[in-house]
Amino acid sequence: MMSGVLGITDIWTYVLGTVAIVLLPGPNSLFVLSTAAKRGVRAGYRAAGGVFVGDSVLMILSAAGVASLLKAYPPLFLVIKYAGAAYLGYVGLTMLRGAWRRWRTRNDPATPRLIDAAEPAGLRSPFRKALVISLLNPKAILFFISFFIQFVDPGYAWPALSFLLLGLIAQVTSALYLTALIFTGTFLAAQFHRRRRLAASATTGIGMLFLGFSLKLATASV
């Protein structure tokens, strides 16, 4: 029976749950969308690659029991939590600064992008930035381990294969969704090119959302 493939107890429920979770807005998907709008399809996929690698690392760590370690040692959780919150806040403030510059130069045809290109050098690598955003999220580790375990048969002889298949399903779902966001972002780039005030407003909104993600993570608990 399909639900028993490789020790997975209810694969279709997992698929539906994964789709619903992936569709929820978050800093990863929002960053990929804004990167595609700023720099095009290729940069959007580099950002998506950072998300894939970061999610894969979190899945592996979750399967290895890191979530239990975070629960057992709350100070470690606090360090990771505040580091992630600080980085998301930094990203948000950088976007707000870019929006302000964009607004000031809204009549200048030499600034066609969604966000001012004069970003700090450390933020110019979409892959690296997306990877850091993905990894600095301790809530994701707790989520992966609690969600995955529900669908793994504890009596199955090779649980690693179960986690591998579950992770593959999650990554394929994420890839399809991020691809849609990337091409949506390139469409938005064309619109923002013609409507500079709209571009500045959109960047401000994205920056505020990242600040919201930062505050949410800073107040999260194990």
Side-chain angles (χ1 to χ4, degrees), residues 178-201:
L178 292 180
T179 293
L181 290 181
I182 288 169
F183 285 97
T184 299
T186 57
F187 169 78
L188 291 176
Q191 305 304 310
F192 292 140
H193 180 79
R194 296 191 294 268
R195 301 175 178 86
R196 298 178 185 280
R197 292 185 179 182
L198 178 61
S201 299

Side-chain angles (χ1 to χ4, degrees), residues 11-222:
I11 194 169
W12 294 115
T13 298
Y14 172 77
V15 169
L16 292 175
T18 299
V19 170
I21 292 164
V22 167
L23 291 178
L24 290 174
N28 290 349
S29 57
L30 190 60
F31 177 69
V32 171
L33 175 63
S34 63
T35 297
K38 284 189 296 180
R39 301 170 184 167
V41 172
R42 182 175 297 181
Y45 274 112
R46 287 202 295 269
V51 173
F52 297 148
V53 173
D55 284 350
S56 297
V57 171
L58 291 179
M59 291 177 191
I60 293 171
L61 292 176
S62 298
V66 171
S68 299
L69 180 64
L70 292 177
K71 290 181 179 180
Y73 297 96
L76 178 60
F77 176 83
L78 291 176
V79 170
I80 298 175
K81 179 180 75 169
Y82 289 126
Y87 188 76
L88 291 179
Y90 173 56
V91 172
L93 291 174
T94 300
M95 289 183 172
L96 290 177
R97 186 177 66 177
W100 172 243
R101 290 181 177 177
R102 178 67 184 223
W103 180 262
R104 286 169 40 185
T105 60
R106 60 189 181 278
N107 296 319
D108 183 359
T111 56
R113 292 181 179 178
L114 171 60
I115 297 177
D116 195 332
E119 295 177 327
L123 295 182
R124 292 177 187 169
S125 169
F127 177 89
R128 182 172 57 200
K129 187 174 176 182
L131 178 62
V132 174
I133 290 174
S134 297
L135 290 177
L136 289 178
N137 188 356
K139 293 281 286 186
I141 297 176
L142 302 179
F143 160 77
F144 279 127
I145 192 65
S146 63
F147 189 65
F148 281 12
I149 281 182
Q150 297 180 41
F151 300 93
V152 176
D153 181 357
Y156 188 63
W158 299 283
L161 293 179
S162 304
F163 282 105
L164 179 63
L165 180 56
L166 293 175
L168 179 62
I169 292 172
Q171 293 289 50
V172 169
T173 304
S174 177
L176 293 174
Y177 178 55
L178 292 180
T179 293
L181 290 181
I182 288 169
F183 285 97
T184 299
T186 57
F187 169 78
L188 291 176
Q191 305 304 310
F192 292 140
H193 180 79
R194 296 191 294 268
R195 301 175 178 86
R196 298 178 185 280
R197 292 185 179 182
L198 178 61
S201 299
T203 304
T204 299
I206 293 173
M208 293 299 293
L209 284 174
F210 267 89
L211 290 179
F213 291 136
S214 173
L215 291 175
K216 183 177 180 180
L217 179 55
T219 57
S221 62
V222 179

